[in-house]
Amino acid sequence: MTSILILNGPNLNLLGTRQPEVYGTTTLADIEVSCSNWATDNGCDVSFMQSNHEGALLDAIHAARGVHQGIVLNAGAYTHTSIALMDALASVEIPAIELHLSNVHAREEFRHRSFIAKVAIGLICGFGAHGYLLALDAMKQHIED
Ligand code: DQA
């Protein structure tokens, strides 16, 4: 069965109460439920993880080898700073989609730079929590093509 890993980086555990005017009021637990429902409806396996620690995210990417066929990554602020996450994605050679709830390109200049985009197959941003389902659809299609 197709297996997709959804990885969430720093501060995303605070979704629901964190700057709701930017990120909405949906919690990460709500998003996990929608992703799990999507998995059931689409005959896929979805694993969901969040960490505030760069090293834990790196370990999860390394461990995805031979287990998951795709990674959806909302790396939070690490998107804009982490060469290590970029290198990890390039090293495991698993297709990855960069995801953000907010439209990072309509925000501060420092959010326009992404190290993840350099190694991702595509980018989804600006659709709030629904972006997770868009990313899952896109990844499933990519894997099956
Ligand atoms: C974010 C955008 C990042 O710039 C920010 O640091 C986040 C959340 C998003 O989902 O919109 O933590 O990744």
Side-chain angles (χ1 to χ4, degrees):
M1 192 187 282
T2 298
S3 182
I4 300 171
L5 173 64
I6 304 178
L7 267 183
N8 295 283
N11 300 309
L12 292 167
N13 53 312
L14 301 179
L15 284 182
T17 55
R18 173 191 182 195
Q19 296 178 273
E21 68 288 0
V22 178
Y23 298 116
T25 51
T26 308
T27 66
L28 198 61
D30 294 334
I31 292 174
E32 184 170 2
V33 170
S34 340
C35 291
S36 158
N37 291 337
W38 179 95
T40 306
D41 294 347
N42 287 274
C44 292
D45 185 62
V46 168
S47 298
F48 201 87
M49 179 194 157
Q50 187 274 333
S51 178
N52 292 319
H53 304 278
E54 190 175 14
L57 296 167
L58 291 171
D59 289 344
I61 292 170
H62 295 176
R65 258 198 295 201
V67 179
H68 303 291
Q69 289 76 53
I71 297 175
V72 173
L73 175 61
N74 184 347
Y78 288 145
T79 304
H80 318 298
T81 61
S82 180
I83 295 170
L85 282 175
M86 176 185 75
D87 282 349
L89 290 172
S91 304
V92 298
E93 293 181 328
I94 300 169
I97 291 176
E98 174 181 341
L99 173 66
H100 302 285
L101 294 124
S102 64
N103 178 359
V104 286
H105 295 288
R107 299 181 64 195
E108 303 95 324
E109 187 95 26
F110 62 82
R111 294 185 205 275
H112 300 176
R113 180 174 77 166
S114 167
F115 287 105
I116 307 303
K118 297 181 190 304
V119 292
I121 56 168
L123 160 70
I124 293 172
C125 72
F127 295 99
H130 184 60
Y132 283 78
L133 303 182
L134 296 175
L136 284 170
D137 280 335
M139 183 56 82
K140 179 172 186 272
Q141 191 70 53
H142 177 81
I143 292 166
E144 289 174 359
D145 277 354

